[in-house]
Amino acid sequence: AQSVTQLGSHVSVSEGALVLLRCNYSSSVPPYLFWYVQYPNQGLQLLLKYTTGATLVKGINGFEAEFKKSETSFHLTKPSAHMSDAAEYFCAVNSGGSNYKLTFGKGTLLTVNP
Amino acid sequence: DGGITQSPKYLFRKEGQNVTLSCEQNLNHDAMYWYRQDPGQGLRLIYYSQIVNDFQKGDIAEGYSVSREKKESFPLTVTSAQKNPTAFYLCASRGTSGGRDIQYFGAGTRLSVL
Protein backbone atom coordinates (compact mmCIF):
# COMPACT_ATOMS: atom_id res chain seq x y z
CA ALA A 1 0.00 0.00 0.00
CA GLN A 2 1.11 3.54 -0.65
CA SER A 3 -0.10 6.92 0.53
CA VAL A 4 0.84 10.57 0.36
CA THR A 5 0.33 13.34 2.90
CA GLN A 6 0.75 16.96 1.94
CA LEU A 7 1.04 19.15 5.02
CA GLY A 8 -0.87 22.37 4.56
CA SER A 9 -3.70 22.67 2.10
CA HIS A 10 -2.85 26.34 1.58
CA VAL A 11 0.53 28.08 1.72
CA SER A 12 0.93 31.82 1.28
CA VAL A 13 4.28 33.51 0.63
CA SER A 14 5.49 36.92 -0.46
CA GLU A 15 7.05 37.43 -3.85
CA GLY A 16 10.79 36.73 -3.55
CA ALA A 17 10.40 34.56 -0.45
CA LEU A 18 11.31 30.91 -0.09
CA VAL A 19 8.68 28.39 -1.15
CA LEU A 20 8.47 25.17 0.85
CA LEU A 21 5.71 22.64 0.15
CA ARG A 22 5.78 19.52 2.27
CA CYS A 23 5.15 15.95 1.18
CA ASN A 24 5.47 12.75 3.17
CA TYR A 25 4.81 9.32 1.74
CA SER A 26 4.43 5.75 2.82
CA SER A 27 5.44 2.87 0.64
CA SER A 28 6.34 -0.75 1.24
CA VAL A 29 8.93 -0.70 -1.55
CA PRO A 30 11.33 1.97 -2.85
CA PRO A 31 9.09 4.64 -4.29
CA TYR A 32 9.03 6.74 -7.40
CA LEU A 33 7.99 10.27 -6.40
CA PHE A 34 6.56 13.13 -8.42
CA TRP A 35 5.50 16.73 -8.07
CA TYR A 36 2.87 18.10 -10.44
CA VAL A 37 1.56 21.66 -10.79
CA GLN A 38 -1.98 22.62 -11.81
CA TYR A 39 -3.04 26.09 -12.93
CA PRO A 40 -6.76 26.96 -12.70
CA ASN A 41 -9.00 24.89 -14.96
CA GLN A 42 -6.06 23.10 -16.51
CA GLY A 43 -4.53 19.64 -16.39
CA LEU A 44 -1.48 18.66 -14.39
CA GLN A 45 2.04 19.42 -15.55
CA LEU A 46 5.03 17.46 -14.30
CA LEU A 47 7.46 19.61 -12.29
CA LEU A 48 9.99 16.96 -11.35
CA LYS A 49 10.42 13.29 -10.51
CA TYR A 50 12.59 11.09 -8.35
CA THR A 51 13.17 7.50 -9.38
CA THR A 52 16.67 6.40 -8.40
CA GLY A 53 20.09 7.99 -8.05
CA ALA A 54 20.68 11.54 -6.87
CA THR A 55 18.35 12.46 -4.05
CA LEU A 56 18.22 16.17 -4.93
CA VAL A 57 16.10 16.55 -8.02
CA LYS A 58 15.86 19.71 -10.09
CA GLY A 59 12.75 20.47 -12.05
CA ILE A 60 11.26 23.14 -14.22
CA ASN A 61 10.66 26.78 -13.24
CA GLY A 62 13.44 26.74 -10.62
CA PHE A 63 11.83 24.14 -8.35
CA GLU A 64 13.71 21.31 -6.70
CA ALA A 65 12.92 18.52 -4.26
CA GLU A 66 14.99 16.31 -2.01
CA PHE A 67 14.21 12.67 -1.38
CA LYS A 68 14.91 11.78 2.26
CA LYS A 69 14.37 8.10 2.84
CA SER A 70 14.90 8.30 6.60
CA GLU A 71 12.18 10.93 6.90
CA THR A 72 9.98 9.47 4.12
CA SER A 73 9.77 12.98 2.71
CA PHE A 74 9.96 14.66 -0.67
CA HIS A 75 9.52 18.37 0.03
CA LEU A 76 9.37 20.86 -2.84
CA THR A 77 11.32 24.12 -2.63
CA LYS A 78 12.07 27.21 -4.64
CA PRO A 79 14.44 29.90 -3.36
CA SER A 80 12.46 32.89 -4.61
CA ALA A 81 8.74 32.88 -5.38
CA HIS A 82 7.32 34.56 -8.45
CA MET A 83 3.74 35.65 -8.95
CA SER A 84 3.51 33.09 -11.75
CA ASP A 85 4.12 30.28 -9.26
CA ALA A 86 0.64 30.69 -7.83
CA ALA A 87 -1.07 27.36 -8.50
CA GLU A 88 -1.99 24.08 -6.85
CA TYR A 89 0.77 21.55 -6.32
CA PHE A 90 0.34 17.81 -6.02
CA CYS A 91 2.78 15.23 -4.70
CA ALA A 92 2.36 11.67 -6.00
CA VAL A 93 3.93 8.29 -5.31
CA ASN A 94 4.21 5.12 -7.31
CA SER A 95 5.59 2.04 -5.69
CA GLY A 96 6.31 0.26 -8.90
CA GLY A 97 4.71 -2.92 -10.09
CA SER A 98 3.20 -3.71 -13.42
CA ASN A 99 -0.02 -1.76 -12.92
CA TYR A 100 1.77 1.55 -12.39
CA LYS A 101 -0.83 3.42 -10.38
CA LEU A 102 -0.08 6.84 -8.96
CA THR A 103 -1.40 7.86 -5.57
CA PHE A 104 -1.82 11.61 -5.18
CA GLY A 105 -1.81 13.84 -2.16
CA LYS A 106 -4.71 16.21 -1.64
CA GLY A 107 -2.80 19.16 -2.99
CA THR A 108 -1.39 22.42 -1.66
CA LEU A 109 -2.62 25.73 -3.00
CA LEU A 110 0.23 28.22 -3.23
CA THR A 111 -0.62 31.91 -3.09
CA VAL A 112 2.07 34.49 -3.87
CA ASN A 113 1.53 37.98 -2.48
CA PRO A 114 3.09 41.07 -4.11
CA ASP B 1 1.63 18.59 -31.76
CA GLY B 2 1.47 15.43 -29.68
CA GLY B 3 -0.76 15.44 -26.69
CA ILE B 4 -3.95 14.46 -24.92
CA THR B 5 -7.22 16.05 -25.94
CA GLN B 6 -10.24 16.02 -23.67
CA SER B 7 -13.64 17.16 -24.82
CA PRO B 8 -15.83 18.90 -24.09
CA LYS B 9 -14.24 21.38 -21.71
CA TYR B 10 -17.56 21.88 -19.91
CA LEU B 11 -20.45 19.42 -19.74
CA PHE B 12 -23.84 19.49 -18.09
CA ARG B 13 -25.83 16.44 -17.07
CA LYS B 14 -29.53 16.18 -16.39
CA GLU B 15 -30.95 13.84 -13.77
CA GLY B 16 -31.03 10.24 -14.94
CA GLN B 17 -28.85 10.93 -17.95
CA ASN B 18 -25.67 9.19 -19.02
CA VAL B 19 -22.92 11.40 -20.40
CA THR B 20 -19.67 10.48 -22.12
CA LEU B 21 -16.37 12.32 -21.76
CA SER B 22 -13.90 11.98 -24.59
CA CYS B 23 -10.15 11.43 -24.24
CA GLU B 24 -7.90 11.08 -27.28
CA GLN B 25 -4.11 10.84 -27.39
CA ASN B 26 -1.67 10.85 -30.28
CA LEU B 27 1.38 9.97 -28.19
CA ASN B 28 1.25 6.27 -29.07
CA HIS B 29 0.98 5.39 -25.37
CA ASP B 30 -0.40 2.02 -24.35
CA ALA B 31 -1.69 2.95 -20.89
CA MET B 32 -4.43 5.48 -20.18
CA TYR B 33 -6.15 6.66 -16.99
CA TRP B 34 -9.22 8.53 -15.75
CA TYR B 35 -9.13 10.57 -12.55
CA ARG B 36 -11.76 12.53 -10.70
CA GLN B 37 -10.75 15.74 -8.90
CA ASP B 38 -12.84 17.33 -6.15
CA PRO B 39 -11.76 20.41 -4.17
CA GLY B 40 -9.47 19.42 -1.32
CA GLN B 41 -9.53 15.75 -2.34
CA GLY B 42 -6.66 15.50 -4.76
CA LEU B 43 -7.01 13.11 -7.68
CA ARG B 44 -8.74 9.77 -7.34
CA LEU B 45 -8.41 7.00 -9.89
CA ILE B 46 -11.62 5.89 -11.61
CA TYR B 47 -10.44 3.43 -14.28
CA TYR B 48 -7.25 2.62 -16.10
CA SER B 49 -6.27 0.65 -19.16
CA GLN B 50 -2.89 -0.91 -19.78
CA ILE B 51 -3.62 -1.97 -23.34
CA VAL B 52 -6.35 -1.99 -25.96
CA ASN B 53 -9.45 -4.05 -25.07
CA ASP B 54 -8.44 -4.28 -21.43
CA PHE B 55 -9.20 -2.04 -18.44
CA GLN B 56 -9.35 -2.23 -14.65
CA LYS B 57 -11.33 -0.49 -11.94
CA GLY B 58 -9.59 2.11 -9.88
CA ASP B 59 -10.51 3.30 -6.41
CA ILE B 60 -13.87 4.92 -7.25
CA ALA B 61 -15.26 3.05 -10.28
CA GLU B 62 -18.89 2.80 -9.12
CA GLY B 63 -21.24 4.72 -11.40
CA TYR B 64 -18.70 4.95 -14.23
CA SER B 65 -17.89 2.83 -17.27
CA VAL B 66 -15.15 2.89 -19.89
CA SER B 67 -14.14 1.25 -23.15
CA ARG B 68 -10.80 0.87 -24.91
CA GLU B 69 -11.47 -0.18 -28.47
CA LYS B 70 -8.63 1.87 -29.95
CA LYS B 71 -5.20 2.71 -28.62
CA GLU B 72 -5.82 6.42 -29.09
CA SER B 73 -9.16 6.64 -27.32
CA PHE B 74 -10.39 5.99 -23.77
CA PRO B 75 -13.90 7.44 -23.29
CA LEU B 76 -15.48 7.64 -19.85
CA THR B 77 -19.24 7.35 -19.36
CA VAL B 78 -20.75 8.83 -16.24
CA THR B 79 -23.92 6.85 -15.69
CA SER B 80 -27.11 7.78 -13.89
CA ALA B 81 -25.93 5.52 -11.07
CA GLN B 82 -23.28 8.10 -10.17
CA LYS B 83 -25.25 10.25 -7.75
CA ASN B 84 -22.65 12.95 -7.26
CA PRO B 85 -21.03 13.47 -10.64
CA THR B 86 -20.11 17.14 -10.30
CA ALA B 87 -16.31 17.25 -10.50
CA PHE B 88 -13.32 17.97 -12.70
CA TYR B 89 -12.32 14.90 -14.72
CA LEU B 90 -8.78 14.38 -15.91
CA CYS B 91 -7.51 11.88 -18.44
CA ALA B 92 -3.87 10.81 -18.57
CA SER B 93 -1.65 8.54 -20.58
CA ARG B 94 1.61 6.96 -19.58
CA GLY B 95 4.82 7.28 -21.54
CA THR B 96 8.55 7.22 -20.98
CA SER B 97 10.77 10.20 -20.25
CA GLY B 98 14.42 9.85 -19.30
CA GLY B 99 14.01 6.12 -19.14
CA ARG B 100 11.20 6.33 -16.60
CA ASP B 101 7.43 6.13 -16.88
CA ILE B 102 5.58 9.43 -16.62
CA GLN B 103 1.87 10.23 -16.70
CA TYR B 104 0.84 13.06 -19.01
CA PHE B 105 -2.46 14.84 -18.47
CA GLY B 106 -5.14 16.41 -20.61
CA ALA B 107 -6.70 19.78 -19.82
CA GLY B 108 -9.74 18.25 -18.17
CA THR B 109 -13.54 18.28 -18.45
CA ARG B 110 -15.68 20.02 -15.85
CA LEU B 111 -18.97 18.21 -15.34
CA SER B 112 -21.92 19.82 -13.61
CA VAL B 113 -25.44 18.66 -12.87
CA LEU B 114 -28.39 20.72 -14.05
Side-chain angles (χ1 to χ4, degrees):
Chain A
Q2 56 191 28
S3 67
V4 176
T5 301
Q6 290 185 240
L7 298 174
S9 60
H10 187 195
V11 170
S12 182
V13 300
S14 298
E15 192 172 18
L18 171 72
V19 175
L20 170 61
L21 305 182
R22 299 177 187 274
C23 173
N24 289 88
Y25 69 91
S26 69
S27 175
S28 56
V29 298
Y32 293 167
L33 294 158
F34 306 83
W35 275 101
Y36 283 86
V37 60
Q38 184 181 35
Y39 298 99
N41 291 312
Q42 294 186 25
L44 273 66
Q45 179 183 4
L46 181 68
L47 270 180
L48 49 80
K49 64 184 184 291
Y50 168 79
T51 53
T52 58
T55 56
L56 182 62
V57 180
K58 294 187 184 299
I60 62 172
N61 301 338
F63 284 93
E64 61 183 34
E66 187 171 11
F67 170 61
K68 292 187 176 181
K69 184 178 178 181
S70 60
E71 299 177 8
T72 61
S73 70
F74 191 56
H75 302 331
L76 182 71
T77 61
K78 182 174 180 178
S80 176
H82 295 163
M83 297 296 291
S84 61
D85 294 328
E88 190 155 22
Y89 292 79
F90 292 93
C91 182
V93 63
N94 164 248
S95 296
S98 60
N99 287 334
Y100 189 77
K101 292 193 291 182
L102 282 178
T103 298
F104 285 86
K106 294 186 176 182
T108 297
L109 181 65
L110 175 65
T111 302
V112 181
N113 303 308
Chain B
D1 285 334
I4 301 171
T5 301
Q6 290 188 241
S7 62
K9 190 171 179 64
Y10 300 96
L11 185 59
F12 298 91
R13 193 190 90 167
K14 295 180 181 178
E15 289 288 336
Q17 185 182 44
N18 293 353
V19 292
T20 297
L21 285 61
S22 171
C23 179
E24 302 279 331
Q25 54 101 358
N26 60 4
L27 300 168
N28 200 34
H29 291 167
D30 286 314
M32 297 185 73
Y33 303 78
W34 273 107
Y35 292 92
R36 171 179 171 141
Q37 185 179 17
D38 296 281
Q41 294 293 318
L43 276 71
R44 293 181 288 170
L45 183 64
I46 305 173
Y47 268 97
Y48 63 104
S49 169
Q50 300 270 69
I51 199 167
V52 174
N53 292 323
D54 184 56
F55 49 83
Q56 289 82 41
K57 292 182 179 180
D59 300 319
I60 56 165
E62 185 175 351
Y64 300 96
S65 66
V66 294
S67 62
R68 188 81 188 279
E69 298 176 0
K70 298 187 300 182
K71 188 175 187 177
E72 305 80 27
S73 178
F74 191 40
L76 173 74
T77 296
V78 184
T79 75
S80 57
Q82 173 50 247
K83 298 306 179 187
N84 184 24
T86 297
F88 192 49
Y89 291 86
L90 287 161
C91 177
S93 68
R94 187 184 66 190
T96 301
S97 173
R100 301 299 180 185
D101 286 342
I102 302 295
Q103 288 192 21
Y104 299 89
F105 286 81
T109 293
R110 189 166 296 281
L111 176 62
S112 302
V113 177
L114 289 175

